[in-house]
Structures are given as C-alpha cells and as structure tokens.
Amino acid sequence: MNKGNGRKRPAQQPPVSQQPPKQHAAEPAMEEEDMDEDVFIEENLIDEDELILRDMQDREALATRLEKWKRPALSTGYQSQSENIVFQQLEIDYVIGESHKGLIPNSSGPAAIIRIFGVTKEGNSVCCNVHGFEPYFYISCPSGMGPDDISRFHQLLEGRMREVNRSNNVPKFIHRIELVQKKSIMYYQQHSSQPFLKIVVTLPTMVASCRGILDKGIQIDGIGMKSFMTYESNVLFVLRFMIDCNIVGGNWIEVPAHKYKKTIKSLSSSQLEFDCLYSELISHAPEGEFSKMAPFRILSFDIECAGRKGLFPEPTHDPVIQIANLVTLQGEEQPFVRNVMTLKSCSPIVGVDVMSFDTEREVLLAWRDFVREIDPDIIIGYNICKFDLPYLIQRAETLGITEFPLLGRIRNSRVRVKDTTFSSRQYGTRESKEVTLEGRVQFDLLQAMQRDYKLSSYSLNSVSAHFLNEQKEDVHHSIISDLQNGNPETRRRLAVYCLKDAYLPQRLLDKLMYIYNYVEMARVTGVPISFLLSRGQSIKVLSQLLRKAKQKNLVLPNVKQAGSEQGTYEGATVLEARAGFYEKPIATLDFASLYPSIMMAYNLCYCTLVTSEDAKKLNLPPECVNKTPSGETFVKSDLQKGILPEILEELLAARRRAKADLKEAKDPLVKAVLDGRQLALKISANSVYGFTGATIGQLPCLEISSSVTSYGRQMIEHTKKLVEDKFTTLAGYEHNAEVIYGDTDSVMVQFGVPTVDEAMKLGREAADYISATFIKPIKLEFEKVYFPYLLISKKRYAGLYWTNPDKFDKMDTKGIETVRRDNCLLVKNLVTECLHKILIDRDVPGAVQFVKDTISDLLMNRMDLSLLVITKGLTKTGEDYEVKAAHVELAERMRKRDAATAPNVGDRVPYVIIKGAKSAKAYEKSEDPIFVLENNIPIDHGYYLENQIKKPLLRIFEPILKNASSELFHGSHTRSISISTPSNSGIMKFAKKQLSCLGCKAKISGTDETLCSHCKEREAEFYCKSVASVSELEKLFGKLWTQCQECQGSLHQDVLCTSRDCPIFYRRKKAQKDMAEAKVQLERWNF
Amino acid sequence: MINIVIGKLDNNTKNWRCGVSNPVPLACKASALPCELHPHIDVFFDLGLDILDNIPNVFLFQTSSSPQIPNAFCSRLPSLNNPPCREFTADLLSLLDAGALSLQFFFWLVSTALPTIAMTPMDIETETLDRRQSLYRSMDEMFEIQKEMYKGQQYSQIYYIRLHLIRTLIYSLLPNWKPHLPVCTVLGLEKGKECIVVGTLYKHMKLKPTILSEYSKERSVTPLVTPDNFVHEDDNLVLEDESGRVNLKGSVLSPSVYVTGNVVALHGKETNSGDFLVEDILEAGLPPQLDLPNKSGEDKYVVLVSGLNVGSSSSNPLQLQLLVDHITGHLGDKKEQQSAAEIVQVVVAGNSVKIDHSLLNGQNLGSKDQSKLYEPLKELDIFLTQIAASMPIDIMPGYNDPANFALPQQPLNRCLFRGSSAYNTLRSCTNPHLFDVDNVRFLGTSGQNIDDLEKYSEAKDKLEFMERTLRWRHLAPTAPNTLGCYPFTDRDPFFIESCPHVYFVGNQDKYATRIVKGSEGQVVRVICVPKFSETGVAVMVNLKNLECHTLSFGTDI
C-alpha cells in the first residue's frame, strides 16, 4: 500500500528533514509512530498541554484522511501481471530513450518511446511505455526507381542528414526506406495507386529536418537536382501513433496479460508502469462499456500572493501565501479532499484541512508533496496556465527551491515553462504560457471560457455570475496583504476566499459538463484531450482526414504554407433585409447543416476535384461531373466517392445515432456522455468546411470552400424564388408570400396569414415542396415562426420565437446590443426592456414612455450609478498605448491619487464619464465611480445620451416610429436637468454652507429651523417626503447588504468584497452614503 | 370662504347630536363638539329641536367673506348644553356681533381655546361617569435610534450580539437539558462525537427573492409572480457561529419552522460527509416574567386597534367614528357608557393612514395633490384628537405610515398631527412598542415581524408564529436578513429580555388570541389585532385577568 510513497521518500528526504517540526501537521504521517513521538516531545518542551492535545488530534485526523486520499490499492491480478490491463488514457506523449532490448531484441540506440497515461476503472493510475513505433513520412517515388536506386537514395539521404545534424550523435538517421503503393488525396485520378517511398527515421524531430532537405532539393546521380513533395510529414508523432493504432483521444486501451512487462526501473509515480510493443495494444471504440469514464482525479486549486501596495504580484518579489486545493473524483458530486495551505497560522475552517507553515518554502514543498500524493489526472483552475502554475514555479526558482518543480508523473522530471502564442482564425491570437506537467492534463477554465463563450467579461466573478447565478466575493489584492499581516482570523478569512476560488472552477466544470464534452470531442475527432484547448480547429479535421485517408490508402501532401496567396473567395450570402416591424407571423425555413449537406450532395472533396487541365485531358462525360456555380469541376460519386463527404456522412449518422440513444438513455451520466457526443459531432461536421477554407491551414483547398458558398448562395436565391412564385394569390393562396430576409442558411417568409398556426402549416408545406427540388441530403426544414418580428438590418433582429402555435418559447434576439463590453449596463437594460415591451407586451407607446422616463431619470441625476459604469481591461501601462484611452488615463490619475488602490495591468478598470471642461476630450473625462459617488461629481448626460444609448435605441425604434430620433431624444422630458454640485471642486472651498429650507431652498438665517415661515404650513408634506426617501433607502440598504452577506456565506463577519464586476457594488456603496445623508436631513425635524 | 354647519340638539338623550346627511363633512356625522369639528368646518350652530322637523337635521352653509352672522342663529346658541362652552361661545359671538372681534380671530379662538374648555365633563345634567385611571410607563427607549447614524456599519454586529446574548442564556439552560454532553463550537466538531453546538441558523432558500435577479441576464418571458411564501421543500438549514458554518441534516429539525437568524442549541454529531446530524433542539424558551398584578382589582381595559388605513378605499369613516364614539362614551345607553369608562388606554398599532406613495417622489406638490396628501392626515388627526381629549392614546408607526421603513420604526413625527399633538395624552411611539399599564407589560408590533415569518417559514396559524418568537426569545429573527432593520452595533433591541403579559401584533387578517404558558409559570396573552379598516374590529384586553374580547363596528344596516 505504501509502496509508492516508500519509493518516493528518499528523493525528498533532504528538504523534509530540514524543515521545522510544524511541518509534521501537514506532512502525511507515513512513519506515524516515530513522528508522533517526535512531535510529542518537542511540543512538550513548550509546555502547552492544550496545544499538544489539539495537535495530536489534528494529526490523527489527517492521517486517516490521507488514507482516504490514496488511490485504491492494486489488485493482485495486476501485481502478478496475470490480468489484462484496461485503462482510459488521458494523455499521450513521447520521450527519447534507449530502445527496449527485451521487447525489440535486435535494436539499439535512442528511440522514441510513447507514454500513455491513464486510469483503470478501479482508479489505479497507469503509465504505459510503448515501444517500437517509428516516425515516418512519404515522398512520391520518382518514376523508374528500382530497389537498388532506393538503397542508394537511402545512403544519400543519410549523408545529407548527418551533414545537417552534426551535433546529433545517433548511429543511424534514416532507419529504412520502403516502396509502397499509395495515392495522393489531391485531385481526381483515374489510376488506383502510384509508388511512394516511405521514409522511416529514427527520431520524430528528424522528420522535419529530413523534409527540409527534400523540400530544398537533393542531388541525385542520374537525375540531377530534384526536390520532392513530401506527404504526411507534418503529422505530429503522437497523432501519427494514435492514427496508426486506431486510438482516439480519451478512449479505453487494453493490454493483454503477459504481453506487457513491468518496468524494471520505474520512472513515473503511476501505480502501474509497464512496457509493451505498440502492436500489442488493443484500442476499444468508445461504445457500450467503453463509453464510460474512468474515475479520474481532478485537482482544482488557487493560489493567493501578497502583492506590494500598488503593484500586481510578481514572482520575483511577492510571496505565495495560500494555496487552496479541492480534489474530486470524476462522476462524484462532492470533492473528497478540501484543504488549504497557508503561510503563518490560520484559524481552522469547518470541513477543510488547514495546514499552516512558517516559511514559504514549506508551503511550496507541502503543495508539491500534496500533488504527488494525490496524483491528479487533471489539474484545473482559473487562469492557472497563465498565472498560478508559472507563478509557483518562478517563485520557487526565486527562492532557490530546486526540488519544487517536480510536479509531473515522471518522478525526476522538472516542470518546464515556456511562452507560447496560440493563434487561430476563429479565436484570434492569444499569448499564454505552456507548463508541461507530464502525465497530467491541464484544463484552464479561463481558456475554455474564452474559447467557447462570448462574454462581456471573463473574470471568475462574472463567469460564475453568468453560469452559476452566483456572485463571487472579490477581495482586492491590496487587502490581501493586510489580511495576511493580520492575525489567524484574518488569514482564515482569506483562506475561505481562496477556497471559494478553488471551488468555482470545479463547479463550472460540472455545470458546463466540460469533462464529458471535451472527452467526447476528443473521441470523435481522435486528438488527445490536451490538443483541444491548446490548438485550433484544424488539427481536429486533419486527424479525421488522416484516419479516413489511411483506410483508403490515400496520402496527404504537405502543401507549403502558401499564406494568403491563394486569395479569398466570396462568402455566404445574405438576402437584403426589408427592415420593419412585422406584426404578422414570419415563418423561418432553415437548411439543416447546410454546408456539410452541400459537400455531401455534390461530392465535394480533394479527391474529386478536377483541375482545369485535367478536365480537358480526361475528357470526362458531362453527366459524370458537377460544375459548381463558382466554376470548379468535381466528379460525381459514382466515379469517385469523396473522403470529405464520407467523413461528414459518418459524423452526421453518428450524431443521429447519439441523439436517438440520448432519447432512450435514462442514466444521467450516460446522457451526459451522449449529449456531449452529439454536440461534438455537430461542431466537427461544421468545421470541415472551415478547414478547406483556412488559407494558412494544413491543407487548404479554396476550390472546395468557394464551391460550397456558391452553392449556398444559389440555394438561398432559389428558395426565395420558389416561395414567391408558388405562394401567390394567383395559385389560390390567400396572400402573396414575401421573403423579407435571408441569412446564410435560413430564409424568413411572410406568408401574410394572421395566425401562427396557419403560418406553421404553410411553412411546413413550403419546406417539403422546396426540399424536393434539392439533391439529397440537402433539406429545407421548417423550424419556427417569429411573431411579432422586428427586423432592423442584416444580422440584427428580434422576435418572439414560436415552435408550437399555443405559446411562444422565448424572445430571440440577434446582433442587438447584448453583451458588448464597452457599453454600460443602462444600454442593455434599456434595450431589453424596450424589446420586451414591444414584442411581448405589444405596447409600443409603453416602450417609448419607458425610454423617455429613463432619459429623464438620467438627466435628472436619478440614475443608479452602477448602470453607467463602463469597464475596460488594462492590458499594458499608459506609455505603451498609442492612442489615449479613457481607462488608461484614469488609471494613471488614480495612481497619482493613491498608488495602493489604483488599478494595475491586468485589472479591469471601471469608469464613468463626467462633466468636464468644454474642450475636454472624452478620455479626460473618465472618472472612478467611487470617487464620483463620494464627491457628488456630475455625470456627463450628453455623453451617455449621444454615445451610449442613442444608436441602439434608434436602431430598434426606427422601423417602428416615424420620427424616432425627435420623439425619443427631444421633447419635454429632456428639458429638466439636474446637476449635482461636486463637493471637491475648487469653488466649493470658498463657499459658505448655510441651512436652507427643505421646502423651497430659501436660506434660513440663524436658527435651526427646518422650514422657512412660508413653507411651515406644508410641514407635513415635506416631512412625508423626507421620511419616504429615508424609507426607500432603508429598504435598499437592507436588501443590498444582506445580499452581500449571503454571497460571502457568513452572517457574523463583515463584508469585505470589493468586486467591481458585481452589479450591486456601487449601489451598495451609494446606499450607504445616501442613507447617512438622508438621515441627517430627517434629523432636522426632530428639534 | 367660511363653512358653517347648523345642527340641532336632541333633548331626549341630552347629547348634542346631529343625524347623518350629506353634504356634511364626515367628522360631523355623530356627536361632535365644536372643537372636534372637521377642520373644514369653521362654525357650528345649534338650531334646537323646535325648528321645523321637515328640514334636514344638519346643513352646511358657506358664507363668502361677510362676517355678519344672522342674529336668529346667535340667539339659539345659549341652548348648547355645555355651559362653559355655551357661555364662552356666546360671549365671543356677542363680541363678534359688536364688531369688536375680527372673524379670523374668532375662529382661531374657537379652534384653539374651546378644546380645553370642552374637556370638562359634558353631561352635567346626568350622573357623571368617571373614566378609570391607570399607571403608564413606556419602555420604548430601547427601540429609539437617537444619535446612531449610518456610518458604514454592517449587519454582522447585530448577529454577533444576538448570538452572544442568546448563547449565554442557552448555556445556562444546558445543565438542565443534557448535562452529560460536551459543548462545542462549529469548528470544534469532531466526526461521530455527540455534542451540543449553539449557533445562528441560516436557511438556504431556493425561492428567496434576491436583488441580484434584477440583473439576471435574461428577463423571463412570464412576469415573475411574487409568491406569498418562499418555503420550498429543498430548503436546508446551516448552523453558523463566529468560527464557521456546518450543514444540518436529520429529520428532527424541520427547515420550514426555522428561519435565518434563530439562535438555537443543537444536539447531534458530525457525519462522515462533514454534515451535522441533528438529534435534538433546544430553544431559549420564554423569558422570565413579572407577576401579574391587580388580580382582584377592578376591570380596566386597554383597546388595541390597528390598520385604520384612513384614506384608503377600504376605510369607512362612519365605522371609525363609531369606534371613537364608543370609546369616548358617546354611544349607547348607560351600560355601554359604563363599560366605555373602563377603558384606560388606546393603542393604535400601525398603518393608520394610507398615503399615495407616488405623491412623495420628486417635485413639490400642486394644490390638488396636496389635498390628497393632507386629507387622510387631517382625518386621522381628528380621530386622534377626539380620543386624546378623553384618554391616553398610543400611536405606533406601521408599514404604510409616513415613518421610516427599517425596524425599529421611529415615532411618527408630531408635525403630522397638528391638532392632536397639543394633547399630552397622545403618545407617538416606536414600533415595536413596549410599555406597562398598571404594571401589566405589553409588547407589540405593527405586524411586520410576523408577516415576514409567514413568508419564510410555515405554521398552522399566526398565533403559532407569535408563540415561536417568544420561545426563540427574539421578536424579529428575520431582521436583518429579510426584514429591514437598523444596523445596530451595540445591542439587539429585538431580544426579548422579560416576558410580556400581553403580546400583540397589528394588521393581521383576522382576530385571534390564545394564552401561551411557559415552563416557569409564565402566562402570556398573545393577540392578533385585525385590520380595522377591513374588519371593523378592535380588541379589548382586561388588565385584571388578561381576558380579551372584541368590539365590532358594522355600518351595514
């Protein structure tokens, strides 16, 4: 049981023995008896009986917990190697090592060893070293090359390789060259195969270097200088292995008993480490029993650092003070380990192991030990890849703890950090850090969020507010240091906060079913799980293409990265939108998976494309080819079935199956898997088209993508024509149908009928009628009716969405100010409320009135400030910005005011626009909302009217109202304006404060009266008003502050949160301030 | 414009009465002295019964500005059967006649000087009934917020103080409850070890409305209906003390009974999953009580009324006037008047006026809106004046009154009652209100505490909620969580230190009462005082024996 630990011990003995005894509390008590003794004596010396007792109890509890944390023991079958090892693999990589003499007797020298890390269904960790798989690629064989020529070519290439890689001291570069019969995937070819040379090299990196040589050209006797087109030379070694062994990401692998050998000198900390030949692996398709998930361990963690005042924490200066950890078994609801490691003492927390240490070194080492002990398969967190992990490693470096970065599964291998940039057409360019933790999958929720969701803010707070409907309390980093420097209680406060930050990523992971969705995506597309986060879409399609090509004996050329040379092509079409407010039902006809269907229907593929030269040469009969609207020629499927259509067919068929299974499934876990699968299949099918159009991708083929879009355009036009021709009064229908708008794959039709029910009937009829005119599987479907429908312009519309005639499903909006980052909340609220009033309540005057009231509130300074706050991220310091920006200027100004609380690079800066001098630029008028609240600084109404709310509102109202602009933005409601008097402006320093009558504002000389003699008669009225405003504020005050108590999860402790992302943060502040003022006013009555 | 009302005296009853007819302002409908007139009436003249019977009993004159009052009327004035009044008025009128007195000054005199004269006993010609007297002591100081201001304090302190107060108390009870069990803090819990923990309960509620939903990303299609009760079967309780929180499990503790803010002792043990399995509960129980005095003395009554809602559509002025007449002894026969004379104190428990809140934001009011605001206030003022003229009356603020929102609500400002505030018998009190009458202790609220409990917990009736608050020893456990409350830093005024004899809450839907008995012989009369405007019911409590009955006023004939 303790075997793994026993082996681990010696490596770590030195640091442990140097550490003070306090460490024992946290350090797993392996040698329980001895240690107990030690502590007892030492603690006894301090002579604090109670402390000892508590310490002992703590330790006992911890020891029992540790038992629970361990992975289950290996069964005897595994130990005696008499049992088949079946495991779900999560991570595959390779290392270069001495080739395995036992398995491959006649080899020597370095070789690539594939390592597969995984978990058995019992929960045992597995490290499988696979031997014998060699890197290779293809080139087309020059015609007339015989076996002798090949061996000469081999020597020639070997020589060139040795020249290029002088430093590399391997006995042999090119292992062998074989002659094989293959066919290139590119272009329609009538012959069935051609000779290719398969070049097998010793090490994976040699593929690239060899390709370089062949690309440039090589002098061959008798032929002269010749450069070669290489095939499949850009396939990563691990992917190559997976394709050839039919392994897909996250599937189950079986190694039969007696076919594996237990590793003699084990390198990893896995429970089962063994060697085997790649040919012995059995890869199971993810079906039935093998579609389940192994119980892998997921570690979610978060660190806190004590930054210096006014600076973002840097690993070279600022210590790591707390690390919170949660470990969950896949498939279980609750984490089974919760602990927090703190620097300096910390009061206990219920249900959490608090481990306190005196030095940072101990904290870091304790965490390392913890990670190794718990042996997580997946490490998750929020922004761990860019912040937490690199910070820990760099911090350890600064402190000179060389033994810290041993966090991977390979015991003596140090964690490496390198900067990477990830760039994709879909996701844009993003800089990140890559931390290699061998054998453990890192899953950074921040990256996943940025990839999968479009949100206005990606702070953990707003993400959890969005998905979990929960506000997270946010402790400003300037307070963190204060809490740390306080007492055990304040550190406990911080620890609770830190734990919450560690728990939220786990909850997001569960809520969004990330494990299921990503594993299924890996299974469908066949790439390792780690590729899904760190790479773009194209690798997934490439993986599928290579797998399919292998079956068909096809090879993929490595097309030189042509950049954008090939130019662009015309995209999707959008029919002219007839903007307006439609009060009759609008039926929507959708093409189901339009682009995949087109590719299938017209057999569009690399291998069916006929070049213009070939078209003449081959002289294909016209009935055997399709000429696309963009002018390309593809052969029909009876001549040559395309690979892409085949992949798509399989994907879509699999999706149909998954959906059908989903309906049948009862077990929620099975359902989760199936739902993840069908989603993955859908996304994969749709990304095939994109792959062919990615000009800097792996295998771009614009002939295909431009053909797809041209067919798409044609179909939309065709549909429009058919609808408008068929559904006419002439043909016996009650009304003439009208196509009011058409998007990439949908057409909106107004049939003119007044009810949703009738529109649905006609919609179905139209869909069936038009579908019949298309080649299968292109299908037009009737899905929904919009009623009423507000069409603003292309890609911008809103409407009520009906799928059954009795009740609408939801309000659907597209392209309307939803979550734009640079808008204030007011815009969003206003737009949503207006749409709600217009579409659901069918109350246009009400909507207009609402806008007017809101504008009036804005002008009268009655607006809740939090609605006006605009937030932008500060990505670099002031000097680095070329153009002056409001938030950057503000950050600079705030730094001058108080460096400690000013925003730093990486923070989000919230600001409001205030009234400034006439000529002031917008960026000069930004101000900190808190500062504005505290000093009564007037808001620039004009800015909010003109730059924030005007455009979005006009967009909505222009199709509805005649003079929207003058109706909404001019008129009596815009005439009263109230401007607050700033309490900090220069002139106020010279002003004298005097009591004024609360009724008429006349000044009251001398006395403490509340009202002047004129207003005295109306005393009750003014009193009622004062007391009403106090009463409103009290209501608000109570609601806001109790909400914050709720979020922080404690009644007995003060709220510390300063989360500026929280919508009620400013309101809470304001309520507190207004309350104090209103109370003072009310007091004046109690004379 | 001067409004003059002319009425006649009923010689049979020797009461000065006028019948009911329009367009006489409402306050004049039943026996009213000049001082009690509706503010819009300037002069009231008695015509005597010998005037033609076929003319309406009462009618209203409006003279423009002429100060001349017809002699014919003046001559009738001496028949007013209250001699001091009569003489005084007569004197005034003669002065007025002679032109020695400006009309304005005359009215001022009538409205200010007369009330004091009118307080002298009226029925001099019949046997005089003396109203019984009582000793009154208010203990509202504990609910008053004087110099305390909002200076950034939060709600954690009040929870802290509450926990501290009640925990100390519960600790003292433990030796009699389960002396063999150790007492732990939440932190000190150990797996499987039986112990007692004392802490504040927190209830996780699925349906609890939150202010954050205002910001929720999507407005739901169907408008949110706010249910009256937010209890859901998935609610669960958490116990918290300064050291931490622990989830509570077990069927002994029903989440629907308790609310956030209760302080209780729990017996149980920590389970393997880190929850606390509750086996038994101990509440603080009824506080100690002073002996009920005056067990053999004479009957004295305190009238409890609430929810007058003057100015609302449900309020019926006649009903209210009947109540006043009864209390002041102007209604019914001798026997009835006798019983009225036994009333020593009236308490109005909140929601006395209904003011349209839309009037109170923004601009100064126009004259039309002003009257909308003033009418109910004036009407209430008259009501209070009539009672205050004859006996002590306490008025508590309620949810709808022009007072602050958060508990404890501070006394209604005297500037709202320009007439009645002249009497020292009118006491504007806090809500909650704590006072002794003849050493019988009363504790009451205008209803918010119980209404809030009803939203967040369940019981078979309102009395049970009231009983619970006594046993929890806390008047408003849901404050501040769901019930607005001032963020106290040094005390928790809602902690019930000593057990009242009478515990009432106002503004309930129907009248209900019960005796609650404590383990140490405490006897508490708990009363739900119904809304008067809807039920026409006021409650009479006998100080002698805490017996309780209702006064019902109906106007439907």
Side-chain angles (χ1 to χ4, degrees), chain B residues 7-24:
Chain B
K8 57 188 177 184
L9 185 77
D10 183 346
N11 276 323
N12 299 331
T13 61
K14 297 293 177 199
N15 268 334
W16 196 48
R17 304 199 132 245
C18 17
V20 180
S21 78
N22 285 327
V24 176

Side-chain angles (χ1 to χ4, degrees), chain A residues 492 808 833 1034 1051 1054-1055, chain B residues 154 156 219 240 243 405-406:
Chain A
R492 173 180 184 276
F808 63 89
E833 189 61 36
E1034 281 177 340
L1051 300 174
D1054 269 353
V1055 174
Chain B
Q154 301 184 4
S156 54
R219 241 193 91 156
E240 175 176 335
S243 68
F405 165 80

Side-chain angles (χ1 to χ4, degrees), chain B residues 341-454:
Chain B
E342 289 169 349
I343 299 172
V344 293
Q345 172 78 37
V346 177
V347 179
V348 183
N351 290 1
S352 309
V353 282
K354 183 100 177 181
I355 292 173
D356 184 0
H357 272 266
S358 63
L359 295 174
L360 296 174
N361 42 24
Q363 305 292 303
N364 284 351
L365 299 178
S367 56
K368 203 171 142 198
D369 286 342
Q370 272 184 38
S371 68
K372 262 198 218 161
L373 176 70
Y374 278 114
E375 286 308 327
L377 281 176
K378 277 189 183 163
E379 215 174 302
L380 177 67
D381 192 23
I382 288 163
F383 163 78
L384 295 174
T385 311
Q386 293 176 72
I387 295 180
S390 58
M391 78 185 75
I393 173 166
D394 285 1
I395 180 161
M396 295 160 58
Y399 179 77
N400 284 329
D401 289 319
N404 62 326
F405 165 80
L407 291 183
Q409 284 185 297
Q410 297 304 295
L412 291 164
N413 198 292
R414 291 191 163 253
C415 74
L416 298 169
F417 317 117
R418 303 181 80 172
S420 50
S421 59
Y423 294 93
N424 61 7
T425 43
L426 176 79
R427 285 182 289 246
S428 186
C429 311
T430 57
N431 169 34
H433 183 29
L434 180 68
F435 58 100
D436 284 352
V437 183
D438 276 351
N439 290 322
V440 175
R441 180 150 299 178
F442 282 74
L443 174 63
T445 71
S446 301
Q448 292 102 316
N449 57 336
I450 298 301
D451 293 345
D452 201 56
L453 279 181
E454 196 188 16

Side-chain angles (χ1 to χ4, degrees), chain A residues 57 65 68 347-351 465-467 469-471 489 492 807-811 825 828-829 832-833 836-837 840-841 860 862 864 866-867 998-1000 1016-1025 1027-1032 1034-1043 1045-1056 1062-1064 1067 1072 1075-1076 1079-1080 1082-1083 1085-1086, chain B residues 145-157 159-160 163 186-187 189-191 199-202 205 208-212 214-222 240-246 260-261 270 272-274 355 357 359-366 370 373-374 377 399 401-407 410-413 415-416 418 480-482 484-487:
Chain A
Q57 286 166 348
R65 284 205 163 117
K68 255 172 56 185
S347 303
I349 303 165
V350 189
H466 189 267
F467 292 107
N469 243 333
E470 204 172 276
Q471 288 290 334
E489 273 303 317
R492 173 180 184 276
K807 199 178 163 296
F808 63 89
D809 301 53
K810 60 177 180 184
M811 188 166 91
L825 206 56
K828 199 188 127 198
N829 286 4
T832 334
E833 189 61 36
H836 196 273
K837 281 197 181 343
I840 298 178
D841 303 343
M860 291 300 291
R862 287 194 295 251
D864 170 13
S866 57
L867 294 177
L998 289 176
C1000 63
K1016 194 77 191 163
E1017 284 193 2
R1018 293 165 65 187
E1019 196 177 9
E1021 176 194 334
F1022 294 124
Y1023 178 76
C1024 283
K1025 262 186 210 163
V1027 88
S1029 78
V1030 167
S1031 149
E1032 281 304 311
E1034 281 177 340
K1035 251 180 234 176
L1036 199 64
F1037 181 91
K1039 275 192 201 161
L1040 293 168
W1041 284 92
T1042 49
Q1043 179 60 49
Q1045 283 193 317
E1046 204 130 306
C1047 282
Q1048 85 167 350
S1050 158
L1051 300 174
H1052 296 98
Q1053 271 162 338
D1054 269 353
V1055 174
L1056 284 182
C1062 175
I1064 65 173
R1067 270 178 95 183
Q1072 206 169 35
M1075 195 63 235
K1079 270 294 235 190
V1080 170
L1082 196 65
E1083 285 297 305
W1085 254 278
N1086 295 339
Chain B
I145 300 167
Q146 289 291 339
K147 290 281 162 267
E148 291 159 289
M149 300 302 279
Y150 285 80
K151 284 189 208 105
Q153 69 270 51
Q154 301 184 4
Y155 284 129
S156 54
Q157 280 104 330
Y159 280 117
Y160 187 84
L163 175 65
V186 168
L187 248 189
L189 291 177
E190 283 168 42
K191 286 226 164 76
T200 310
L201 289 176
Y202 174 82
M205 299 187 78
K208 185 186 166 193
T210 140
I211 191 160
L212 289 172
E214 281 179 29
Y215 300 91
S216 66
K217 48 198 180 294
E218 268 178 34
R219 241 193 91 156
S220 62
V221 169
T222 45
E240 175 176 335
D241 65 8
E242 309 94 318
S243 68
R245 279 187 169 191
V246 64
T260 299
E270 193 185 343
N272 284 333
S273 53
I355 292 173
H357 272 266
L359 295 174
L360 296 174
N361 42 24
Q363 305 292 303
N364 284 351
L365 299 178
Q370 272 184 38
L373 176 70
Y374 278 114
L377 281 176
Y399 179 77
D401 289 319
N404 62 326
F405 165 80
L407 291 183
Q410 297 304 295
L412 291 164
N413 198 292
C415 74
L416 298 169
R418 303 181 80 172
N481 192 39
T482 47
C485 131
Y486 176 82

Side-chain angles (χ1 to χ4, degrees), chain A residues 639-687:
Chain A
L639 273 187
Q640 168 82 53
K641 176 88 178 151
I643 286 188
L644 292 180
E646 215 172 308
I647 292 176
L648 289 169
E649 269 162 33
E650 282 174 15
L651 286 173
L652 293 179
R655 180 167 182 232
R656 272 194 298 277
R657 261 201 319 276
K659 274 181 136 177
D661 292 350
L662 184 62
K663 263 187 205 149
E664 308 258 303
K666 299 222 162 47
D667 182 3
L669 293 179
V670 174
K671 272 190 168 170
V673 170
L674 289 173
D675 195 46
R677 181 174 302 174
Q678 70 88 10
L679 200 72
L681 287 163
K682 183 185 167 186
I683 296 170
S684 303
N686 287 331
S687 57

Side-chain angles (χ1 to χ4, degrees), chain B residues 101-231:
Chain B
L101 199 60
S102 77
L103 190 66
Q104 215 174 1
F105 187 58
F106 166 74
F107 293 136
W108 178 81
L109 282 172
V110 170
S111 61
T112 58
L114 274 183
T116 44
I117 302 167
M119 273 177 68
T120 50
M122 321 168 349
D123 281 355
I124 47 157
E125 284 167 36
T126 55
E127 190 194 334
T128 312
L129 279 173
D130 282 326
R131 186 171 291 286
R132 296 213 166 118
Q133 299 297 309
S134 66
L135 204 68
Y136 176 93
R137 186 160 74 99
S138 163
M139 280 159 286
D140 277 351
E141 333 69 275
M142 63 184 296
F143 298 118
E144 275 164 24
I145 300 167
Q146 289 291 339
K147 290 281 162 267
E148 291 159 289
M149 300 302 279
Y150 285 80
K151 284 189 208 105
Q153 69 270 51
Q154 301 184 4
Y155 284 129
S156 54
Q157 280 104 330
I158 191 167
Y159 280 117
Y160 187 84
I161 295 159
R162 183 184 307 171
L163 175 65
H164 192 74
L165 277 172
I166 304 182
R167 184 166 52 190
T168 318
L169 212 147
I170 288 182
Y171 277 168
S172 71
L173 301 175
L174 292 181
N176 296 326
W177 189 47
K178 296 193 173 174
H180 57 287
L181 289 172
V183 179
C184 289
T185 59
V186 168
L187 248 189
L189 291 177
E190 283 168 42
K191 286 226 164 76
K193 183 178 139 196
E194 273 195 43
C195 62
I196 292 172
V197 210
V198 183
T200 310
L201 289 176
Y202 174 82
K203 179 147 80 167
H204 274 294
M205 299 187 78
K206 200 173 162 184
L207 300 179
K208 185 186 166 193
T210 140
I211 191 160
L212 289 172
S213 58
E214 281 179 29
Y215 300 91
S216 66
K217 48 198 180 294
E218 268 178 34
R219 241 193 91 156
S220 62
V221 169
T222 45
L224 286 169
V225 272
T226 4
D228 295 335
N229 187 294
F230 303 111
V231 176

Side-chain angles (χ1 to χ4, degrees), chain B residues 43-62:
Chain B
V43 184
F44 201 113
F45 291 103
D46 173 39
L47 290 175
L49 278 179
D50 45 336
I51 298 292
L52 291 170
D53 276 335
N54 59 351
I55 64 158
N57 290 354
V58 176
F59 51 89
L60 176 73
F61 256 57
Q62 289 191 329

